[in-house]
Amino acid sequence: MDLVNRPRRLRRTDAIRRLNRETRLSAEALIYPIFVDETLSGVRPIPSLPGQNHYGLDSVCQAVEECLSHGVRHCILFGLPAEKDACGSSAWAERGIIQEAVRAIKASYPDFTVITDVCMCEYTDHGHCGILHGHEVDNDETLEHLARIAVSHAAAGADMVAPSDMMDGHVAALRRALDENGFQHVSIMAYSAKYASAFYGPFREAAGSAPSFGDRKGYQMDPHNSREALRECALDAAEGADILMVKPALSYLDVIRTCADRFDLPMCAYSVSGEYAMIKAAASAGLVDEQRILCETALSIFRAGADMLITYYAREIADAIRRGDIG
Ligand code: PBG
């Protein structure tokens, strides 16, 4: 008998295959995006994201209950304000949509993690992620506004703030403002390596945040680059980020791997709207098996080194883990 080329016995039974898994998944590592619309009462389906909804303030707790019923315990909130202006002032309003949604969730579900997206593009009438001078975003002036938004979210009870603007110095600005206002306990999840991606298309439809002119290439990253992601992560880490993020996920698995290997902070991946919409579209055309594809894509992201995942499929992935399909 050839002892060198004998079959791999570790693949023999289901139980042993499970024992032998190199990647472990848990519903604890999933974060679900929730869209809250100030102009809405009740729930309204999002056309660009089949299976996802806009929630009115009166029904945001319904989204939380659904999450909990699937075993998902963390969310990230996005707001659609009733009013927009040049400086996105409704983003830091005391009774703004995010501030009210955080209060509503925390009043009923104090242990449910609420992360808030800190950005201006949903709140500015021009759709850019900061304050404009001419057609350019003014980095440093934007930082003051972002800090104010983050503090208002913390004051409402957010557990964590997630700046997605890609301004230089944003983490330092938020950390300082949070600390000065008594929110030392609120952590920062930095969208560190956020690429200028076409995969955000369905989100911009859903959040009404497409720029009215130009694009975001001036502040988001060039998909040609991966070493640049290391520089962005290093800056955010040095400025005090608690969690680093790579976004999108599927086309950037190499970046997730490199950043996870290099930094000792927890690594989040954001599987964005376009990734979800592609799977949904292919599945509804009968071209792929949705359940298996959503499992396999989630696995690939964790295998690449992510510690946690923001995904519109959070509830389905949690179900798949419970069934034993993955995990
Ligand atoms: C806000 C923001 C965006 C996303 C998350 N935060 C849109 C953008 O940068 O254009 C995209 C998320 C998704 O596509 O699911 N800046």
Side-chain angles (χ1 to χ4, degrees):
M1 177 176 173
D2 180 348
L3 291 180
V4 175
N5 291 315
R6 66 188 176 189
R8 293 281 175 263
R9 291 179 190 161
L10 280 171
R11 295 193 191 134
R12 210 168 39 179
T13 67
D14 271 355
I16 291 177
R17 269 196 292 276
R18 275 198 290 276
L19 176 68
N20 200 32
R21 282 173 178 169
E22 297 174 29
T23 307
R24 303 280 177 194
L25 267 58
S26 160
E28 292 290 346
L30 302 173
I31 302 165
Y32 182 66
I34 298 177
F35 294 87
V36 204
D37 184 341
E38 192 168 8
T39 66
L40 180 68
S41 72
V43 181
R44 184 183 58 212
I46 301 177
S48 61
L49 291 170
Q52 305 298 315
N53 295 308
H54 286 123
Y55 293 88
L57 196 52
D58 57 355
S59 49
V60 68
C61 284
Q62 201 176 309
V64 174
E65 276 155 36
E66 272 171 43
C67 282
L68 289 171
S69 73
H70 292 268
V72 174
R73 307 158 56 85
H74 318 286
C75 79
I76 180 162
L77 284 185
F78 295 98
L80 287 80
E83 308 284 347
K84 301 187 189 220
D85 60 24
C87 64
S89 57
S90 52
W92 61 79
E94 155 89 36
R95 310 210 68 87
I97 181 60
I98 290 297
Q99 293 76 1
E100 293 287 49
V102 173
R103 280 186 209 106
I105 294 173
K106 282 294 179 184
S108 301
Y109 303 97
D111 297 332
F112 188 78
T113 309
V114 178
I115 307 169
T116 55
D117 186 81
V118 173
C119 197
M120 297 179 66
C121 57
E122 292 120 272
Y123 304 87
T124 51
D125 49 17
H126 46 73
H128 278 282
C129 300
I131 302 296
L132 291 183
H133 280 161
H135 276 188
E136 292 294 324
V137 172
D138 184 317
N139 190 94
D140 293 4
E141 201 180 327
T142 301
L143 292 182
E144 293 164 30
H145 290 79
L146 293 169
R148 197 166 168 187
I149 300 170
V151 168
S152 74
H153 291 177
D159 297 290
M160 198 184 290
V161 291
S164 66
D165 48 277
M166 286 298 278
M167 298 300 132
D168 293 334
H170 62 169
V171 174
L174 264 58
R175 189 67 273 161
R176 190 181 323 120
L178 290 168
D179 290 353
E180 282 173 5
N181 287 279
F183 300 115
Q184 292 89 346
H185 57 283
V186 173
S187 42
I188 299 179
M189 172 191 267
Y191 286 71
S192 307
K194 177 173 177 182
Y195 284 85
S197 170
F199 283 100
Y200 309 147
F203 173 96
R204 290 181 187 172
E205 285 271 318
S209 66
S212 59
F213 66 88
D215 53 40
R216 303 210 207 288
K217 289 181 185 155
Y219 37 98
Q220 298 184 349
M221 282 180 52
D222 182 342
H224 292 82
N225 299 346
S226 61
R227 290 196 304 273
E228 189 183 7
L230 295 173
R231 292 200 295 280
E232 293 283 358
C233 285
L235 285 170
D236 285 353
E239 290 177 25
D242 300 284
I243 298 173
L244 303 175
M245 190 202 295
V246 173
K247 169 188 173 191
L250 266 193
S251 289
Y252 299 88
L253 294 173
D254 57 326
V255 180
I256 296 173
R257 167 48 63 204
T258 314
C259 292
D261 285 347
R262 187 74 69 91
F263 295 96
D264 54 12
L265 288 171
M267 186 62 56
C268 180
Y270 192 149
S271 185
V272 299
S273 56
E275 301 175 41
Y276 173 84
M278 281 197 312
I279 299 175
K280 274 284 169 197
S284 69
L287 300 175
V288 297
D289 178 333
E290 183 178 19
Q291 281 302 319
R292 291 189 57 199
I293 296 267
L294 73 87
C295 288
E296 200 172 326
T297 50
L299 264 181
S300 71
I301 296 163
F302 284 103
R303 199 183 60 235
D307 299 302
M308 65 193 85
L309 174 63
I310 304 177
T311 169
Y312 302 91
Y313 273 129
R315 297 165 305 180
E316 290 82 351
I317 296 167
D319 290 345
I321 295 170
R322 192 162 353 90
R323 284 196 306 268
D325 296 349
I326 45 171

